[in-house]
Amino acid sequence: MTVTVRFAPSPTGRIHIGNARTALFNWLFAQKHRGRFIQRFDDTDVARSKQEYADSILYDLHWLGIFQDATEYQSKRFDHYDAAVERLKAAGVLYPCYETPEELDLRRKVRRTRGLPPVYGREALALTSAQIAEYEGDGRRPHWRFLLPNFVSDPLEPMRTEIRWNDLVRGEETVDLASVSDPVLVREDGTYLYTLPSVVDDIDMGISHVIRGDDHVTNTGVQIALFQALGAVPPGFGHHNLLTTVSGEGLSKRTGSLSIQGLREDGIEAMAVASLAVLIGTSESVHAMPTMAELADHFDPAATSKSAAKFDPDELLVLNRALLHHLAFADARDRLGVLGIGGERAEPFWNAVRGNLDRLSDAAQWWKIVNEGPQETPELSDEDRDFVRVAFDLLPEDPWDAGVWKAWTAKVRKMTERKGKALFMPLRLALTGLSSGPELADLLPLMGREGTLARRP
């Protein structure tokens, strides 16, 4: 059997890091098993689904390094769902219901007061032809529920019926079908809810494993029953923990919470996002993986905790720094070129500054400093200004090489008797305008003697 997985968001907004977690779990699982990854858009909600969101989701996934073997749209497959509905009706497991939302709410409240679980009582199964005719005469249209197989002979007498599966993440899982309502598969207006199209597509597309958030655990019991009602062997299931903010709030793609687009525009590296999205909330320590191949080697769905994974966006910057600090010039060259950083000095410049960058775009600031001097007038005391002027008078002659900083500071130390911070900080401020940054021993050869002299206060 070829491992085949899918990522199936509804294209109603931009995906966030929590959605990316699900996509990555599926894609990495496929990579480890040399399987297939299907990008499926659950766009049956025609009013809210937009192609621009589907396009943005694909763009975000490609940026992360996730590439699909096929792309499918549910909106193009209604004939498949219609056929499944007729099969279920013919089998007697899809039945019409005429209750209004208000009536259903009242029934749930009554069941609670009686100490019963607030599930649908299947009252629609007892409707007579006359009652149905009366409802339809009043303009009511039915919604259609799937009759769960949780009874022996009388559906009005449900009994405990366990659906079991060995979850890829959570281990042995059980759902009692008597504890949940018969799910509505078709609305009054004939449109489909999530459950039926998802199961039909998983069957038709040969999905071998469904990996998703643990908010779907209960749904899985219902869906396994629906797979079986349609004559199909259910796929394997895995339910990973959800990502929340530090305060415990959930994420929403419609509010743009930590969207992949926003993180990308903020200068966060794709592998920082992928590393955090996959490794947080697992037994694996969260650290920056430089490539997807290495992340796949570390990926183990069974190592995921059952509790929600809280994360701090500041962790992304920590991972970002780690990635940039080890990023080879060959891998950064094109992106640096976009920032106007090129020529024969570009590689030694990159090697000099990468260890001090939070974001790759920060290199542009250091390129300006190297070529133009401090971007703001350094704040030096009168005493330090006098010291710097003396120091500049002691600059070595050309040619400059990697040892020029050491030679220069040795002369300055001997002449002024300054050392340590009292010597280095005024020189750093004069040369860069900043109190911290890359090693001056690496920057000085890039500045050149004339460029350095131009910074004399």
Side-chain angles (χ1 to χ4, degrees):
M1 178 187 67
T2 299
V3 166
T4 304
V5 297
R6 45 75 164 179
F7 175 54
S10 55
T12 56
R14 296 191 176 278
I15 59 171
H16 51 65
I17 192 170
N19 306 131
R21 180 173 174 83
T22 299
L24 285 159
F25 267 54
N26 279 279
W27 192 82
L28 293 170
F29 188 81
Q31 293 300 298
K32 286 181 77 75
H33 296 277
R34 298 184 179 181
R36 300 179 70 243
F37 174 86
I38 294 177
Q39 177 59 54
R40 191 174 80 209
F41 290 109
D42 290 2
D43 59 344
T44 55
D45 186 343
V46 179
R48 290 174 50 228
S49 298
K50 296 182 179 179
Q51 185 60 45
E52 65 185 83
Y53 289 132
D55 292 341
S56 74
I57 289 170
L58 286 172
Y59 186 89
D60 289 341
L61 293 179
H62 293 170
W63 177 74
L64 284 169
I66 298 173
F67 295 91
Q68 67 277 16
D69 294 293
T71 302
E72 303 284 352
Y73 291 82
Q74 287 191 333
S75 59
K76 299 178 181 179
R77 294 177 45 81
F78 284 114
D79 56 332
H80 294 261
Y81 314 141
D82 295 342
V85 163
E86 295 308 314
R87 287 180 60 191
L88 295 172
K89 287 180 179 178
V93 293
L94 193 65
Y95 62 98
C97 304
Y98 292 85
E99 296 92 345
T100 65
E102 292 76 18
E103 289 169 344
L104 289 172
D105 185 55
L106 178 60
R107 286 180 181 173
R108 282 192 290 268
K109 291 177 180 177
V110 170
R111 289 182 68 88
R112 286 194 184 96
T113 60
R114 294 177 178 174
L116 299 173
V119 298
Y120 181 61
R122 293 173 171 165
E123 290 82 0
L125 292 175
L127 291 176
T128 64
S129 298
Q131 288 173 313
I132 291 175
E134 181 180 352
Y135 280 138
E136 296 195 346
D138 291 338
R140 292 198 190 191
R141 293 292 178 265
H143 53 272
W144 294 79
R145 290 182 182 268
F146 171 53
L147 183 62
L148 292 171
N150 56 8
F151 57 92
V152 177
S153 58
D154 185 357
L156 297 181
E157 295 183 3
M159 58 182 291
R160 182 174 182 83
T161 305
E162 293 183 346
I163 295 287
R164 296 176 179 272
W165 72 94
N166 186 24
D167 198 280
L168 294 170
V169 176
R170 300 167 63 87
E172 190 69 26
E173 283 288 341
T174 302
V175 170
D176 174 18
L177 293 183
S179 67
V180 295
S181 296
D182 290 342
V184 176
L185 300 187
V186 187
R187 300 183 181 91
E188 288 84 350
D189 62 1
T191 59
Y192 294 105
L193 281 84
Y194 162 81
T195 305
L196 179 69
S198 180
V199 169
V200 171
D201 286 348
D202 287 344
I203 294 171
D204 290 352
M205 296 173 191
I207 302 301
S208 64
H209 297 81
V210 174
I211 303 173
R212 55 192 179 182
D214 60 14
D215 52 334
H216 287 283
V217 169
T218 301
N219 297 344
T220 298
V222 170
Q223 289 173 358
I224 287 175
L226 186 53
F227 274 104
Q228 294 169 341
L230 290 169
V233 176
F237 287 89
H239 296 87
H240 64 74
N241 53 4
L242 299 180
L243 294 188
T244 70
T245 63
V246 173
S247 59
E249 297 172 352
L251 306 178
S252 169
K253 64 176 178 289
R254 286 190 289 277
T255 60
S257 299
L258 295 169
S259 71
I260 300 302
Q261 179 192 30
L263 295 174
R264 181 173 60 250
E265 292 175 350
D266 190 37
I268 303 300
E269 298 292 304
M271 284 309 304
V273 176
S275 297
L276 182 63
V278 171
L279 298 178
I280 195 167
T282 72
S283 58
E284 181 78 27
S285 63
V286 178
H287 53 291
M289 292 291 179
T291 66
M292 278 293 213
E294 292 178 68
L295 184 57
D297 288 340
H298 282 75
F299 173 68
D300 177 10
T304 307
S305 168
K306 290 187 177 182
S307 58
K310 296 183 179 181
F311 75 101
D312 186 340
D314 288 344
E315 289 185 64
L316 287 170
L317 271 182
V318 175
L319 298 177
N320 222 51
R321 294 186 195 104
L323 288 167
L324 293 175
H325 297 177
H326 296 92
L327 185 63
F329 174 70
D331 297 321
R333 179 189 287 110
D334 291 345
R335 294 168 64 190
L336 293 173
V338 173
L339 299 174
I341 301 171
E344 62 182 16
R345 292 185 302 153
E347 184 168 4
F349 166 79
W350 173 249
N351 293 333
V353 304
R354 62 181 176 178
N356 290 85
L357 303 179
D358 289 337
R359 299 167 175 82
L360 187 137
S361 58
D362 295 342
Q365 178 192 25
W366 283 105
W367 187 249
K368 282 187 175 182
I369 290 172
V370 165
N371 289 286
E372 303 171 10
Q375 300 302 292
E376 296 182 5
T377 303
E379 294 186 6
L380 294 167
S381 66
D382 291 341
E383 183 179 356
D384 282 344
R385 186 174 292 104
D386 291 339
F387 161 73
V388 169
R389 286 170 178 163
V390 170
F392 271 67
D393 289 338
L394 299 173
L395 277 173
E397 296 296 326
D398 283 327
W400 279 22
D401 55 27
V404 67
W405 170 253
K406 183 177 181 181
W408 182 32
T409 53
K411 290 172 65 177
V412 172
R413 185 182 298 109
K414 183 177 180 180
M415 176 66 70
T416 65
E417 297 186 352
R418 282 203 184 198
K419 58 184 179 180
K421 186 176 180 180
L423 185 153
F424 299 124
M425 185 57 68
L427 293 180
R428 177 175 288 281
L429 287 171
L431 292 168
T432 69
L434 300 173
S435 59
S436 62
E439 293 291 335
L440 292 172
D442 296 326
L443 293 184
L444 215 58
L446 297 169
M447 296 174 183
R449 189 173 193 280
E450 292 302 317
T452 303
L453 275 174
R455 301 162 203 250
R456 187 180 190 277

